[in-house]
Amino acid sequence: MTHRPHIISFGMPLALLWAIASHGLAQTPFERSWYLQGGAYVHYNDDEDYEGPPLFAGIERHISPKYQLGFSMFQNSFGQFTQYAYVGRTFHPWAEHPRWRFKLTAGVIQGYRGERHDTLPIRWSKSWGLGAVPTFGWAGERVGCDVAVLTDAGLLFLVGYRWQ
């Protein structure tokens, strides 16, 4: 049986993230910004169960220099429409190279259904679970690029654009 994406299913996490980003946390001299990302992923191996286009689109609201809220949509490795609503923390571990960054995001994933639901280590209901994604990248004034590690499945290559 083919499952159709339930667009309404990601409405609540998106509304919650929007409310937090709009009203903000602590006010800082940092100028808040939006960051739009797009990319594609590759797998480490060629599993015949993998299907669908490996495309990714996401948006982040940077609420401080270190913290962001985000939402992304993609076809997962098994061709299922999936959403990821998350919070993230950015680190700049190399003082001599301030544009290089490490980011860790964690949040709610919806979309791994049926026999693929067990792909998520922490899961509930029929297609919901928790996830975490580490990312390494470089950020310019407006444009950035990142590589995200997708557990033992693959790498996600991203390009992003920041605006106020």
Side-chain angles (χ1 to χ4, degrees), residues 95-149:
E96 62 278 5
H97 302 290
R99 294 205 179 272
W100 290 99
R101 65 184 175 199
F102 172 76
K103 182 168 63 174
L104 182 62
T105 65
V108 178
I109 298 174
Q110 192 281 323
Y112 286 84
R113 294 177 297 282
E115 64 185 50
R116 302 301 178 198
H117 191 231
D118 65 355
T119 304
L120 301 172
I122 300 173
R123 57 193 175 274
W124 64 92
S125 188
K126 295 182 180 179
S127 65
W128 292 86
L130 297 179
V133 180
T135 306
F136 177 73
W138 178 89
E141 291 298 319
R142 297 270 180 216
V143 177
C145 56
D146 297 280
V147 177
V149 179

Side-chain angles (χ1 to χ4, degrees), residues 17 20 67-70 84-89 103-108:
L17 288 174
I20 293 169
Y67 297 100
Q68 54 278 145
L69 303 169
Y84 177 46
Y86 59 89
V87 295
R89 169 76 158 86
K103 182 168 63 174
L104 182 62
T105 65
V108 178

